[in-house]
Amino acid sequence: MKNIDPKWWVLIAIGTGTLMSSLDGSVVNIILPVLRETFNSDVSTVEWVVTVYLVVLSGLLLTFGRLGDLRGHKTVYMWGFSIFILSSIICGAAWSPVVLIVFRGIQAIGGAMLSSNSPAIITGNVPAEERGRAFGLVSTMTYLGLTIGPSLGGWLAHTVGWRAVFYINVPIGLT
């Protein structure tokens, strides 16, 4: 463990954040019918659980990228990680659709902080001749999260319950 090049630890941290963020972008879609039934809500309300995440995340990417330029990419990234994990816990404990929607928005803030600062962290920690491979690995984590999200979400909702879809971020984020 002592002889592992620090760039690999950076890639593991960035890959983990990327996996969490992309997984959460796709995992919730499959449980919308369960949320509608659980909260005895209409489709247009529970659809906001997905929509708020995508709108907030995409709307804040540039803002948090710039904040990383000003305050340090690692600092913003670590705050994003913390916000993402804490809001995931609250999403899993949500007692109403409004609470879930609000904390999905907060979770997206953390996701935007992760996503917007990852490229700069990689650029600053991986030698130029290895950056293509590093970005390829991080892209793989993105598409892995998007690909396994619906299946994992369906399986978790069926075997453990819908709340596990959000709690899954905690062990991933703490690794």
Side-chain angles (χ1 to χ4, degrees):
M1 292 283 244
K2 292 180 184 179
N3 296 332
I4 295 176
D5 191 336
K7 72 179 174 211
W8 291 110
W9 292 116
V10 170
L11 283 173
I12 289 169
I14 298 298
T16 301
T18 300
L19 176 67
M20 278 191 333
S21 183
S22 63
L23 182 69
D24 239 64
S26 68
V27 74
V28 176
N29 292 325
I30 200 75
I31 66 163
L32 291 179
V34 176
L35 294 175
R36 189 181 70 71
E37 189 176 305
T38 299
F39 292 127
N40 194 25
S41 187
D42 54 79
V43 173
S44 61
T45 300
V46 295
E47 188 61 39
W48 274 103
V49 175
V50 173
T51 305
V52 73
Y53 185 83
L54 296 173
V55 169
V56 171
L57 184 120
S58 60
L60 291 176
L61 286 173
L62 293 176
T63 301
F64 286 124
R66 180 65 178 143
L67 184 63
D69 291 340
L70 297 172
R71 301 290 181 200
H73 297 287
K74 181 180 175 185
T75 301
V76 175
Y77 187 88
M78 294 307 292
W79 273 102
F81 225 96
S82 300
I83 291 168
F84 195 91
I85 292 171
L86 290 174
S87 59
S88 293
I89 293 168
I90 298 171
C91 284
W95 53 91
S96 75
V98 172
V99 170
L100 183 55
I101 292 165
V102 167
F103 280 93
R104 277 288 283 178
I106 295 170
Q107 188 183 47
I109 292 170
M113 294 169 90
L114 294 171
S115 299
S116 62
N117 286 280
S118 297
I121 294 171
I122 290 172
T123 301
N125 288 280
V126 177
E129 62 275 2
E130 296 180 26
R131 277 190 209 132
R133 185 181 315 162
F135 281 116
L137 290 170
V138 171
S139 294
T140 299
M141 296 305 280
T142 298
Y143 290 107
L144 180 63
L146 292 172
T147 302
I148 67 171
S151 298
L152 180 62
W155 180 78
L156 284 171
H158 179 73
T159 58
V160 183
W162 69 267
R163 295 176 189 282
V165 168
F166 298 103
Y167 292 145
I168 192 68
N169 295 320
V170 179
I172 292 171
L174 294 177
T175 56

